[in-house]
Amino acid sequence: MDWGTLQAVLGGVNKHSTSIGKIWLTVLFIFRIMILVVAAERVWGDEQQDFVCNTLQPGCRNVCYDHFFPISHIRLWALQLIFVSTPALLVAMHVAYTRHEKKRRFRNGEKIDIEELKNEKIHIRGPLWWTYTSSIFFRIVFEAVFMYVFYYMYDGYQMPRLVKCSDWPCPNTVDCFVSRPTEKTTFTIFMLAVSGICMMLNLAELCYLVIKICMKESRKTT
Amino acid sequence: MGEWSFLGDFLEKVHKHSTVVGKVWLTVLFIFRMLVLGTAAESSWGDEQSDFMCDTQQPGCENVCYDKAFPISHVRFWVLQIIFVSTPSLVYMGHAMHTVRMEEKRKMKEAEMEAQENKNGGSTYYQQKCSVVEDTKLSGWDEAGGQIILRGSLLNTYVYSILIRTAMEVAFIVGQYVLYGIFLETLYICQRAPCPHPVNCYVSRPTEKNVFIVFMLAVAVLSLFLSLAELYHLGWKKAKERCSRSYKASPSTAPGRLESAPQAERAQMYTPPPDFNQCLSSPNGKFISPFSNKVASQQNTANFATERVHGQEDAAGEGPFIKSRYVESPEVASECAAPAFPENYFNEKRRFSKASRASSKARSDDLSV
C-alpha cells in the first residue's frame, strides 16, 4: 500500500493545524502507518497459509479461515487510517477555496494585504473554525466506530490460539490453529492503545478550540 | 528503507538541532539500525515460521510451538525498539519548533512595537526592548546564527529526552534478554496442546540470526553509551556554566548582570545618546557592572575631591556621569531603565546636582545603568 500519497496530502494540512493537530498527525504517521507498514503487515503476511486445521477434508480450511477472519486486521486498520485522515482533507479544501477567493478578489482590484496572501498561515476563524471542528468531530466518530467494529468482529482484542469450526464441508467440529496469535495480540493491543491516544488528542483539540472561541466571545462582550 | 521514510523525515529535522554527540547517535540509528533492519535482518527472518519444523505430524502443533518459542519476532521487537527510542527526540523537536515559532512571533511583535513607537516617540522603547531581550535569553535562540542554542527550558527538554531514551534502550535490551536470552538455540523442545508429547522443533537459520542478534545488541549498547556520553557532556557543560556564573555574580551586586555578548551589543544598540555608551561600555563591548562595592567607595572619594576642585565647571559630559556612577541605588537593579534624554537635559541636571553636591544619595532622576 502506498501511504506516500496520503503523507503528501496531509502534509499540507499540517500547516493550518493547531499544535495538538500537528502532534496528532505525527502520532498517526509514526505510530500507526509506519507500524502497520513495517511490522504488522509482516506479522499478518502468512495468516492464511499458516492457518492449520486438524482435518484432511479439502475446502474445510478455507471455509473455516473465512468464517473466523471475514476481514483481516490489516485491511481493517488501513480502512480505519483512511477514514480517520479523510476529514482533514475537508480542511485542506476549505483553505484552498479561501485562498482562491482571496486571489480572485485581488485580481478584481480589491485592496488585499499582499503579505498575508503570501504568508500561508491562515488562522482558524469563522467558517474555517466550523470546518475544522467538524473534521475533528468526524475523526473522533470514525475512531470510535472502528474500535467497536474490531471488538464486535473478533470478540474482543485477543487473538485466540485455537478456534473450533464446524462449517460445511467440515465433517465435524474441527480444531483450527491460528498463526502467531501472541504476536498478533501484541500488535492489536498496540494499535488499539495508539487509537485511544489519537482519540484523546482529538478530544483535547476539540475542547481547546471550543474554549478558545468562548473566551474570544466573552472578551468581545466585556 | 522507503518504509522508514516517515520516521526518517522527522529525525532529519532533529538532526539539525542536536549536539555533536546527538548527531552521531542519530547517524548510528539510521545506518546501523534502520538500514540493517530494513535490508538484511528482514530477509533473514523472512522464512522464520515457514521453516520452523517440528518433529510431529499433529496438525497445529507447529503453529502453537512457534507461537510459544517466539511470542514476538526479533524483527518486530527491534522495530518497536527503534520507534520508542526515537520518540523522545521527536518530543524535543516539537519543543524546538515551538521555540522557533515563539521567536518568529516575538520578532513580529517587535516589528509592530517598533512601528508603533516610531509614531508615539520612544519613552518606553528601551524598557520594552530590554524585556524582550530577557525573554530571548531564556528561550535560547541565537538571532545571528539562526541556530537554536540549548539553554533554559529547551536544554531541560533535551536532557529529559536523552534520559528517557536511555531508559528505553535499557528496557528493550533487558526485555530482549528476558524473552530470548542472548543466543538462539537450534533446537527448541515444545510441550503445548495439541502436541501429544514434548516435541523437537528446529529453528530456521539459527547461526545467521545469532549474528544479527549480536550485531543489533552491540549497536544498542553503543547507542546507550553515546546517550550517556551526551548526558555527561551536557551535565559537565551545565556545571561549568553554573560555576562561571556564580564567579561572575560574586563581585557584582546588581542582579541579572550576566549578559552574553550579543545581548550586550543589542543593549548598546538601543541606547541613542553616545555619551551614555561611553559611560557604560567597556572597550571589549561586554556589559559589565560599574557598580561593584569596591569600585563604588573608590569612586565616592574620587568624586568628592573632583566636586570640590572643579566647582561650577562644565566638563564635557564627565560631570554628571561621575556623579551618577557611584550611586549604588535600588533603581540600578533594572539594567534596562536607561531613558533616552536629550543633550541639554544633562546640563540642567548637572546644575541641580551641584547645588546639592555634598550629598551622595541616589536621586530618582540620576542616570541608572
Side-chain angles (χ1 to χ4, degrees):
Chain A
M1 272 174 235
D2 181 20
W3 294 98
T5 326
L6 191 68
Q7 191 187 22
V9 170
L10 291 181
V13 176
N14 203 15
K15 273 184 279 193
H16 313 294
S17 303
T18 60
S19 309
I20 305 178
K22 290 180 180 157
I23 297 172
W24 175 84
L25 218 65
T26 311
V27 168
L28 184 82
F29 275 110
I30 292 180
F31 289 95
R32 294 176 88 173
I33 295 180
M34 216 185 92
I35 289 276
L36 188 73
V37 169
V38 173
E41 274 184 357
R42 305 270 192 288
V43 177
W44 269 264
D46 55 7
E47 54 179 328
Q48 190 171 7
Q49 263 175 312
D50 286 333
F51 184 77
V52 173
C53 287
N54 192 0
T55 181
L56 286 174
Q57 170 66 45
C60 178
R61 196 178 71 106
N62 280 28
V63 163
C64 289
Y65 175 80
D66 187 60
H67 177 87
F68 285 100
F69 301 102
I71 177 166
S72 165
H73 284 72
I74 296 281
R75 260 70 73 184
L76 213 50
W77 280 323
L79 276 175
Q80 183 180 11
L81 288 169
I82 290 170
F83 271 89
V84 152
S85 317
T86 308
L89 297 178
L90 283 173
V91 178
M93 286 196 294
H94 190 133
V95 166
Y97 172 74
T98 313
R99 219 178 270 145
H100 180 75
E101 280 292 302
K102 277 193 179 158
K103 277 190 188 153
R104 197 172 58 84
R105 278 192 279 156
F106 184 66
R107 277 199 212 108
N108 288 350
E110 264 191 48
K111 291 263 164 79
I112 299 282
D113 186 10
I114 299 177
E115 286 306 310
E116 207 198 314
L117 198 69
K118 280 185 190 164
N119 181 13
E120 295 195 338
K121 175 146 174 92
I122 292 176
H123 293 282
I124 301 170
R125 273 181 219 135
L128 185 62
W129 184 89
W130 285 102
T131 311
Y132 197 80
T133 317
S134 43
S135 81
I136 297 176
F137 176 75
F138 280 115
R139 258 189 238 164
I140 296 171
V141 165
F142 286 136
E143 291 271 20
V145 163
F146 272 94
M147 277 161 88
Y148 177 71
V149 164
F150 261 104
Y151 184 82
Y152 176 75
M153 223 182 248
Y154 296 108
D155 284 326
Y157 297 109
Q158 199 187 9
M159 183 67 76
R161 204 165 71 220
L162 165 71
V163 289
K164 292 191 188 285
C165 167
S166 53
D167 292 342
W168 182 88
C170 302
N172 49 283
T173 307
V174 156
D175 287 343
C176 290
F177 299 92
V178 177
S179 135
R180 306 180 206 244
T182 312
E183 204 166 356
K184 284 178 180 168
T185 307
T186 310
F187 276 99
T188 307
I189 291 176
F190 180 86
M191 294 295 269
L192 180 75
V194 181
S195 294
I197 292 172
C198 285
M199 216 155 93
M200 293 293 121
L201 285 169
N202 284 328
L203 280 167
E205 199 176 0
L206 197 64
C207 292
Y208 167 73
L209 285 170
V210 166
I211 288 171
K212 209 169 125 178
I213 210 87
C214 288
M215 279 174 70
K216 248 189 200 165
E217 292 296 315
S218 67
R219 243 182 263 152
K220 272 189 196 164
T221 51
T222 55
Chain B
M1 200 43 196
E3 302 153 345
W4 288 95
S5 62
F6 293 122
L7 188 59
D9 291 341
F10 283 102
L11 291 178
E12 290 274 354
K13 290 179 197 163
V14 180
H15 201 257
K16 269 196 290 179
H17 305 299
S18 298
T19 61
V20 174
V21 186
K23 287 181 178 157
V24 172
W25 180 85
L26 274 163
T27 311
V28 165
L29 184 82
F30 278 126
I31 294 179
F32 292 103
R33 293 173 102 168
M34 283 185 188
L35 190 63
V36 166
L37 192 67
T39 55
E42 291 265 8
S43 46
S44 182
W45 266 263
D47 55 4
E48 56 177 333
Q49 189 173 4
S50 51
D51 285 339
F52 184 80
M53 297 292 177
C54 287
D55 190 5
T56 180
Q57 293 270 351
Q58 170 66 41
C61 182
E62 259 181 29
N63 275 27
V64 298
C65 285
Y66 175 81
D67 186 59
K68 193 176 177 200
F70 301 107
I72 178 167
S73 165
H74 283 86
V75 174
R76 259 74 68 186
F77 187 83
W78 288 326
V79 164
L80 285 175
Q81 183 178 13
I82 290 173
I83 288 175
F84 276 94
V85 149
S86 315
T87 305
S89 306
L90 298 177
V91 172
Y92 160 70
M93 192 198 78
H95 190 166
M97 292 297 116
H98 179 74
T99 309
V100 169
R101 241 179 48 171
M102 291 295 119
E103 251 330 287
E104 285 172 3
K105 276 190 182 168
R106 186 188 69 82
K107 278 191 196 160
M108 273 172 59
K109 254 191 197 170
E110 240 178 74
E112 273 173 33
M113 284 199 303
E114 219 178 293
Q116 239 184 23
E117 288 304 328
N118 284 340
K119 287 183 201 165
N120 299 341
S123 52
T124 52
Y125 183 72
Y126 194 74
Q127 271 114 358
Q128 283 169 346
K129 280 281 184 187
C130 288
S131 64
V132 148
V133 155
E134 286 281 317
D135 292 334
T136 315
K137 184 173 161 47
L138 290 168
S139 72
W141 172 254
D142 175 15
E143 279 193 35
Q147 270 280 312
I148 285 178
I149 297 177
L150 285 176
R151 231 184 307 187
S153 63
L154 199 61
L155 177 64
N156 288 340
T157 310
Y158 195 70
V159 170
Y160 290 141
S161 77
I162 298 177
L163 281 169
I164 295 172
R165 192 211 285 173
T166 312
M168 290 281 178
E169 279 290 11
V170 170
F172 273 92
I173 291 173
V174 168
Q176 186 174 339
Y177 179 76
V178 165
L179 275 172
Y180 300 114
I182 300 178
F183 292 107
L184 223 53
E185 299 292 315
T186 314
L187 172 69
Y188 178 76
I189 297 172
C190 163
Q191 164 105 72
R192 206 190 206 191
C195 304
H197 49 79
V199 153
N200 287 350
C201 292
Y202 302 94
V203 174
S204 136
R205 307 181 206 241
T207 313
E208 196 172 353
K209 286 181 175 155
N210 278 331
V211 166
F212 277 107
I213 287 169
V214 168
F215 178 85
M216 293 299 272
L217 211 57
V219 175
V221 168
L222 173 67
S223 295
L224 184 65
F225 172 72
L226 284 169
S227 298
L228 291 170
E230 199 170 3
L231 272 175
Y232 170 76
H233 172 70
L234 285 169
W236 183 70
K237 231 170 103 173
K238 217 176 179 178
K240 203 175 142 191
E241 222 172 272
R242 227 173 255 164
C243 284
S244 62
R245 218 177 266 176
S246 58
Y247 177 72
K248 272 188 191 165
S250 52
S252 158
T253 50
R257 283 264 152 229
L258 302 147
E259 291 89 352
S260 55
Q263 197 175 350
E265 283 161 16
R266 235 179 266 129
Q268 285 184 357
M269 273 157 50
Y270 303 151
T271 58
D275 320 291
F276 186 69
N277 269 344
Q278 284 169 14
C279 165
L280 293 174
S281 66
S282 58
N284 63 357
K286 280 233 182 238
F287 208 168
I288 54 169
S289 165
F291 294 99
S292 62
N293 279 327
K294 214 178 166 184
V295 171
S297 56
Q298 283 173 355
Q299 286 283 356
N300 235 336
T301 5
N303 290 332
F304 273 132
T306 315
E307 274 186 2
R308 281 190 210 108
V309 168
H310 291 294
Q312 293 288 322
E313 189 184 72
D314 288 342
E318 282 303 311
F321 298 109
I322 291 170
K323 279 184 180 57
S324 63
R325 224 187 235 174
Y326 65 67
V327 171
E328 184 64 34
S329 65
E331 292 117 56
V332 159
S334 160
E335 68 204 279
C336 303
F341 292 120
E343 197 77 27
N344 51 2
Y345 186 60
F346 286 134
N347 292 334
E348 284 159 19
K349 284 288 126 188
R350 206 163 52 223
R351 271 184 235 119
F352 179 77
S353 57
K354 280 181 174 92
S356 55
R357 64 183 181 227
S359 163
S360 65
K361 272 201 202 133
R363 283 174 286 277
S364 58
D365 47 23
D366 276 346
L367 281 173
S368 48
V369 177

